Amino acid sequence: SYYVTVDHAPHTASRSGKPMILEAASLKCRHPDDPRVGVSLTFSERYYPGDSDPDFKAKADQVLGSLELTKLKE
């Protein structure tokens, strides 16, 4: 999944009071060895409007694509 949301009251070190954007990409799935086991991986960043990372989606794809599930112990 992919989403963008606005935080109208962020808690920041600068205490600027300006809204911040949260952009996130997530991967959620069941483990192939046991459907009772869920896996969730999220890549996100927060930024002020106009300061987004133009490479965000490429970075998110790289991180989410690196997920490797290992065999569960019996």
Side-chain angles (χ1 to χ4, degrees):
S1 65
Y2 171 79
Y3 61 91
V4 178
T5 188
V6 178
D7 183 351
H8 292 281
H11 297 282
T12 63
S14 67
R15 301 188 193 276
S16 71
K18 295 180 185 177
M20 292 189 80
I21 308 297
L22 172 66
E23 187 171 5
S26 296
L27 173 65
K28 295 177 177 70
C29 63
R30 294 185 299 192
H31 196 286
D33 290 345
D34 187 343
R36 298 171 299 166
V37 176
V39 178
S40 178
L41 177 62
T42 301
F43 181 84
S44 67
E45 74 171 3
R46 281 189 345 151
Y47 54 86
Y48 290 107
D51 289 338
S52 65
D53 181 352
D55 296 325
F56 174 82
K57 287 185 180 180
K59 290 176 182 177
D61 286 345
Q62 183 178 10
V63 170
L64 298 180
S66 71
L67 178 65
E68 292 184 23
L69 300 177
T70 60
K71 185 92 175 139
L72 294 177
K73 294 180 181 179
E74 295 184 27

